[in-house]
Amino acid sequence: MKKKLLTLIICIMTALAVKANYMPFYSDAIPNEALGVYQTVGEIKVYESPQDNAKEKFCLKIDYNQDMPDGVFAAFVPEKQLSFLYVTDVGEGWVEVLYDKNNNLKGWIKLSDPFLFNSWMTFYNLYGRKYGLKLMKDLPSDYKVLKSAPEDDAQVVSRINYPTKINLTALRGNWALVSVLDMDKTPKTGYLKWRSANGEIYAFPEIK
């Protein structure tokens, strides 16, 4: 009986692990130098330099039915078959990615398809507009407002308290035109500052 119970617990834990996803929840999880993300497909092969004869540094086959190594992905969403790495530099036909966030290890991936690289603007327009945005847990209090224009000195339209849904309409530099549904069920529309002047990102596409 104990053996059967242990087996059941292991099966449940394994099932939960397979379905687990990863998204950034704090601004410091996203490197300030990141230019956007690389959408991973099939197998990741990372090289020392952006050259065909460069030495391979890292290789990982993407499998959404298995646990993936910790510290690799910018976002990993098995339910949507989507995963991304942070891109820190761009070359001709290559992108430099952060493939080990814990040790700040970077390398180059050859682009089999140019559309696999998404600048922040492209990434937010694709996935932010589709899924909406989520706010980082360390969002400064002076960012929890909607403004009438994409400017620091613009008039405050309303405050954001406990948003249940943030729909993205458009990006204007470090500002996002959004419609927010707060816990009081009152829809609010205005400009949200999603990124600071120093590159800290405080709102991220809520892919789920």
Side-chain angles (χ1 to χ4, degrees), residues 70-122:
D70 178 55
V72 174
F73 298 98
F76 184 76
V77 189
E79 295 85 352
K80 300 294 182 182
Q81 301 278 290
L82 288 172
S83 52
F84 304 90
L85 303 178
Y86 290 120
V87 172
T88 53
D89 198 2
V90 179
E92 188 173 348
W94 295 77
V95 290
E96 184 188 55
V97 299
L98 180 65
Y99 67 90
D100 185 339
K101 296 181 295 182
N102 298 329
N103 297 294
N104 196 36
L105 298 180
K106 303 174 184 177
W108 292 85
I109 290 179
K110 188 171 186 179
L111 288 172
S112 58
D113 182 337
F115 293 104
L116 293 178
F117 167 59
N118 286 213
S119 66
W120 284 131
M121 199 68 66
T122 301

Side-chain angles (χ1 to χ4, degrees), residues 2-20:
K2 288 183 179 179
K3 186 176 181 181
K4 289 183 179 180
L5 180 60
L6 179 61
T7 303
L8 177 61
I9 292 172
I10 292 172
C11 288
I12 291 172
M13 291 179 66
T14 302
L16 290 173
V18 167
K19 294 183 178 180

Side-chain angles (χ1 to χ4, degrees), residues 125-188:
N125 279 324
L126 283 174
Y127 296 98
R129 293 181 67 168
K130 182 175 182 178
Y131 296 106
L133 301 177
K134 70 180 185 69
L135 302 179
M136 296 297 182
K137 294 182 182 295
D138 59 341
L139 178 72
S141 59
D142 58 338
Y143 279 52
K144 296 178 181 179
V145 295
L146 297 180
K147 297 204 171 187
S148 59
E151 301 168 0
D152 286 321
D153 57 356
Q155 180 183 357
V156 173
V157 175
S158 62
R159 290 198 61 82
I160 302 173
N161 298 309
Y162 301 99
T164 57
K165 182 67 176 177
I166 303 176
N167 293 314
L168 172 64
T169 300
L171 290 183
R172 300 285 186 272
N174 292 335
W175 296 83
L177 179 59
V178 297
S179 295
V180 178
L181 188 63
D182 232 326
M183 281 192 69
D184 60 5
K185 305 299 182 183
T186 303
K188 305 171 183 179

